[in-house]
Amino acid sequence: MRTVRRSQLREIVPLSDTTIYEMEQRGEFPRRFNLTPRCVVWDLGEVEAWIQERRNASFSGSIELAPGPDVRSRKTRPVK
């Protein structure tokens, strides 16, 4: 098993620390574990499997995209 630390994970997965933490709490991202009291790591195999799963879901269209912003409801410079 190969592990990655937070800095390496950020290079692999372009998400913020907060987003990764929230996804872990919801069970949508592989869980981190402690190697030592001050060293947190992720299993590289689990992270790569998660990326592949997301890729497959994206190609099959099962990931719902977020709606675009409604520019007409902006408070400053609304579009008519």
Side-chain angles (χ1 to χ4, degrees):
M1 171 178 22
R2 179 132 190 250
T3 60
V4 292
R5 296 184 77 169
R6 186 180 313 271
S7 61
Q8 296 165 319
L9 182 69
R10 275 195 225 114
E11 293 175 8
I12 298 169
V13 179
L15 298 173
S16 71
D17 291 339
T18 304
T19 301
I20 290 172
Y21 176 75
E22 289 173 353
M23 290 177 74
E24 280 180 324
Q25 296 301 316
R26 293 189 306 257
E28 299 173 0
F29 192 81
R31 298 287 304 211
R32 66 184 90 187
F33 59 94
N34 294 338
L35 279 181
T36 66
R38 297 180 65 175
C39 180
V40 176
V41 295
W42 287 261
D43 180 358
L44 181 60
E46 289 179 8
V47 172
E48 289 174 340
W50 178 82
I51 291 171
Q52 186 62 41
E53 178 184 315
R54 299 296 287 189
R55 179 179 291 148
N56 294 341
S58 177
F59 291 148
S60 69
S62 61
I63 293 181
E64 193 172 314
L65 299 177
D70 183 11
V71 295
R72 292 180 297 272
S73 65
R74 291 192 298 203
K75 293 182 180 179
T76 58
R77 297 181 38 215
V79 177
K80 295 181 182 177

